[in-house]
Amino acid sequence: MPPQLNPYTQTAAGPYSPAQPPAYYGQPQPGQVPPGAGGRGGAGKAVLWAVVGAVVASALWGGGVLLLGKDSGKPALHGYKVTKDLCAAADLSAFATAYPKPDDDPTSYTNDRPAVAEMHCSESLKQESSTYSDAYLTIDADLHRKSDPGPEFADHWKGYDVVGGSDPKDKYTVTAVEGYGDEAYLATMDSVTTDSDGSETGSREAILAVRDGALTFSMSWYHYPDSLNSDAKASPTLSQGTEWVKAATKATLAKLK
């Protein structure tokens, strides 16, 4: 009969010998096959980790946070393309009745870089009887290829109500607008007053800013009465300018795809 070993007997190397590390509950010892591994060592572990990996991947996919999934950090292009001449691409027919004399030499440029493409257009607008400009139209379109512009877009335009001088009439009012891309904001200002002689002073502006996936877009109509245009008609109302901007924005966004 073999001698009985005392489980409390220490080896010559001591209880914490590097050659024989202490055993902790549930920890497999060197050369010991983990439970459930089927006696195959590495193969059993591979099966186990494959199952765990599938479960984790399924959970991440369900939550929409896979690196290659919908939350990969890159916004959707939604079919928008870069144009070399934003003024030529823009549909400004909504302004044609009020301003039948378009700018003969508008300013347009495109800065197309790997991370973002920036497109700009600005031109003056004239009423039928005007010699000089009665209004300015400014359009900016940025196509973001690397980062999502969403988190900053709302903060920028909602904060536009702080823009203006000390006179309350120069302050902007900002409202959310439905029906344009993922989100849109309208910023308006009206400081036009009529003097006793019937002349007008001040200015009116309507800006519609739209974010549609990777595209951020804004169109600004800025009208000011010009004393040099003595034969000019009365200034269009802010409501009229706002409707022109809305119609031109929708038409231009469609042409940028």
Side-chain angles (χ1 to χ4, degrees):
M1 180 176 183
Q4 298 296 317
L5 297 179
N6 186 345
Y8 300 101
T9 301
Q10 298 182 5
T11 64
Y16 298 101
S17 169
Q20 182 65 41
Y24 297 100
Y25 180 77
Q27 176 181 342
Q29 297 306 297
Q32 189 177 22
V33 178
R40 292 194 174 188
K45 293 180 182 179
V47 173
L48 176 62
W49 282 112
V51 173
V52 173
V55 173
V56 173
S58 177
L60 291 175
W61 181 270
V65 297
L66 280 179
L67 293 178
L68 298 179
K70 63 180 181 179
D71 292 329
S72 61
K74 294 183 179 181
L77 297 179
H78 288 184
Y80 290 106
K81 298 178 177 62
V82 178
T83 178
K84 293 182 178 180
D85 190 342
L86 183 57
C87 289
D91 186 340
L92 305 180
S93 57
F95 297 93
T97 300
Y99 304 100
K101 301 168 71 173
D103 194 336
D104 294 331
D105 188 23
T107 300
S108 180
Y109 67 81
T110 296
N111 179 27
D112 191 357
R113 308 299 296 172
V116 61
E118 299 171 321
M119 296 163 279
H120 172 83
C121 168
S122 61
E123 57 182 279
S124 60
L125 302 174
K126 296 178 184 178
Q127 295 177 336
E128 183 63 42
S129 57
S130 298
T131 303
Y132 302 95
S133 300
D134 295 291
Y136 280 105
L137 190 70
T138 304
I139 311 172
D140 287 289
D142 295 343
L143 192 59
H144 303 259
R145 298 188 178 103
K146 300 295 184 181
S147 61
D148 182 4
E152 297 179 359
F153 183 82
D155 285 351
H156 175 78
W157 289 103
K158 286 181 179 179
Y160 216 80
D161 57 3
V162 303
V163 178
S166 57
D167 192 327
K169 295 192 301 296
D170 295 330
K171 296 292 185 181
Y172 286 77
T173 300
V174 181
T175 55
V177 180
E178 298 292 335
Y180 296 85
D182 295 323
E183 57 180 330
Y185 299 94
L186 177 68
T188 58
M189 178 274 296
D190 189 350
S191 64
V192 172
T193 58
T194 304
D195 298 334
S196 58
D197 61 356
S199 62
E200 294 179 328
T201 58
S203 60
R204 292 187 173 113
E205 185 171 15
I207 309 170
L208 181 57
V210 179
R211 182 185 67 82
D212 192 7
L215 182 78
T216 55
F217 178 96
S218 66
M219 179 180 292
S220 166
W221 165 81
Y222 181 86
H223 183 99
Y224 58 96
D226 191 342
S227 60
L228 297 176
N229 289 327
S230 56
D231 296 331
K233 298 178 181 178
S235 297
T237 65
L238 181 62
S239 296
Q240 288 176 311
T242 298
E243 291 306 312
W244 297 333
V245 169
K246 286 182 176 180
T249 293
K250 185 158 290 187
T252 299
L253 287 175
K255 293 188 67 174
L256 291 180
K257 293 187 175 181

